[in-house]
């Protein structure tokens, strides 16, 4: 089964795999070779796949679309990063900054439903996804 992860800037990954596991907006999803065609929206989170050598590789995915058809999985996403490429220290600093910004907005009583608050919340989730992908990669 082929896995392609594509962002507006480039193809992040194009590999043969034994299985792909993602966080869809309605729950976790795993597909193996021979899976029926499917398309769904992805949430911010960590995806992983099993290599031909039976290794597990992790990727932070910042939402997008997941499609499987004819044993080809395509993930179209705004941003994705391989766990092995994530600088853990920088990712942790990004989480701290995003959380501090969100906390400051809450202390200033910014409307919880404002676009600014939503952007701050998403920044925290994106940074956490990057840390999780890096952590899982380095713990193997």
């Amino acid at each position: 089964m082929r896995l392609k992860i594509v962002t507006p800037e480039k193809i992040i990954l194009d590999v043969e795999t034994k299985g792909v596991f993602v966080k869809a907006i309605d729950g976790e999803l795993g597909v193996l070779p021979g899976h029926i065609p499917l398309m769904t929206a992805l949430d911010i989170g960590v995806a992983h796949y099993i290599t031909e050598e039976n290794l597990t590789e992790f990727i932070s995915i910042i939402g997008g679309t997941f499609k499987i058809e004819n044993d080809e999985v395509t993930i179209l996403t705004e941003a994705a990063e391989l766990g092995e490429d994530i600088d853990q220290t920088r990712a942790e600093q990004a989480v701290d900054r995003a959380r501090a910004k969100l906390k400051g907005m809450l202390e200033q009583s910014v409307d919880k439903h404002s676009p600014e608050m939503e952007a701050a919340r998403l920044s925290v989730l994106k940074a956490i996804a990057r840390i999780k992908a890096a952590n899982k990669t380095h713990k193997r």
Side-chain angles (χ1 to χ4, degrees):
M1 175 170 65
R2 191 122 202 111
L3 169 61
K4 283 182 160 180
I5 301 176
V6 182
T7 69
E9 291 82 34
K10 65 182 179 178
I11 297 173
I12 300 293
L13 193 66
D14 186 356
V15 297
E16 284 298 318
T17 178
K18 292 183 173 183
V20 180
F21 306 87
V22 296
K23 183 179 179 188
I25 60 169
D26 55 355
E28 301 289 325
L29 171 68
V31 297
L32 302 173
H35 199 284
I36 62 170
L38 170 75
M39 183 182 281
T40 192
L42 295 176
D43 202 351
I44 295 171
V46 178
H48 68 277
Y49 67 96
I50 310 300
T51 69
E52 292 288 294
E53 296 79 27
N54 289 319
L55 298 173
T56 302
E57 299 291 341
F58 299 92
I59 311 117
S60 69
I61 302 285
I62 309 305
T65 304
F66 177 92
K67 175 182 155 190
I68 181 167
E69 187 172 43
N70 299 324
D71 261 359
E72 183 168 296
V73 173
T74 304
I75 295 175
L76 301 174
T77 181
E78 196 61 36
E81 200 169 356
L82 302 175
E84 63 194 34
D85 294 340
I86 297 170
D87 180 323
Q88 218 165 340
T89 303
R90 286 185 59 217
E92 289 168 2
Q93 291 169 347
V95 164
D96 291 342
R97 284 191 306 273
R99 284 182 173 153
K101 181 176 180 178
L102 186 59
K103 182 180 178 190
M105 293 175 80
L106 289 169
E107 289 170 353
Q108 295 173 11
S109 299
V110 173
D111 178 16
K112 287 194 256 184
H113 304 291
S114 71
E116 296 83 13
M117 186 66 82
E118 182 63 13
R121 187 183 72 76
L122 288 175
S123 290
V124 171
L125 294 175
K126 291 174 185 179
I128 289 171
R130 291 182 70 240
I131 286 174
K132 285 181 179 179
N135 283 342
K136 289 180 179 198
T137 296
H138 299 297
K139 286 183 180 176
R140 306 182 274 164

